[in-house]
Amino acid sequence: ETRGVPLLRAVAREAALQPELAMANVAEYAKCREDLLRFINENNCAPIMVRLAWHDSGNFDKRISEWPKCGGANASIIFEPEINFGANAGLTKAVNFLKQFKAKYPAVGWADLIQMA
């Protein structure tokens, strides 16, 4: 069983218990995606968003089996000290771009927001 399967099962259970909430979240994710695409196209910031997603996921360590300690695309890049690592220079700008979307779409988690962008 992969690490993601228990999380997907938990989400599916939650959706089964509260289908109206699950559908609201789906709608919020879809609207957020539309707004992100428009913003990225208007501001020509796709390269820095790809770099942010890449660097966020780049801390994955397969030798560690416990999540979230194993790292990966978990939004840890928005926190210190990771955002301040030399390899992440300039990515604060991308995080700041996304703050408006996080405020507008609170049901969308930071990790999803980063990868969606």
Side-chain angles (χ1 to χ4, degrees):
E1 188 167 3
T2 64
R3 285 187 199 102
V5 171
L7 178 61
L8 291 175
R9 286 188 182 142
V11 170
R13 275 193 304 273
E14 185 68 24
L17 295 173
Q18 299 178 359
E20 65 286 343
L21 180 60
M23 290 313 296
N25 285 347
V26 168
E28 190 162 329
Y29 270 70
K31 183 63 177 147
C32 180
R33 182 179 181 271
E34 288 175 23
D35 285 354
L36 275 169
L37 285 171
R38 187 173 19 266
F39 177 85
I40 290 167
N41 286 333
E42 290 172 359
N43 293 281
N44 194 28
C45 59
I48 197 169
M49 294 303 187
V50 170
R51 185 169 165 247
L52 178 67
W54 177 264
H55 282 243
D56 186 42
S57 64
N59 64 6
F60 177 74
D61 187 341
K62 71 177 186 173
R63 297 170 297 173
I64 302 171
S65 60
E66 187 179 341
W67 189 87
K69 290 180 181 180
C70 61
N74 60 8
S76 60
I77 197 161
I78 69 171
F79 301 107
E80 293 181 3
E82 189 172 340
I83 192 65
N84 296 324
F85 292 165
N88 297 333
L91 291 178
T92 301
K93 181 177 183 178
V95 172
N96 288 335
F97 281 157
L98 295 179
K99 286 181 179 178
Q100 64 183 304
F101 297 96
K102 182 61 182 145
K104 187 174 180 180
Y105 301 103
V108 177
W110 268 107
D112 290 337
L113 186 59
I114 290 168
Q115 297 306 313
M116 203 182 322

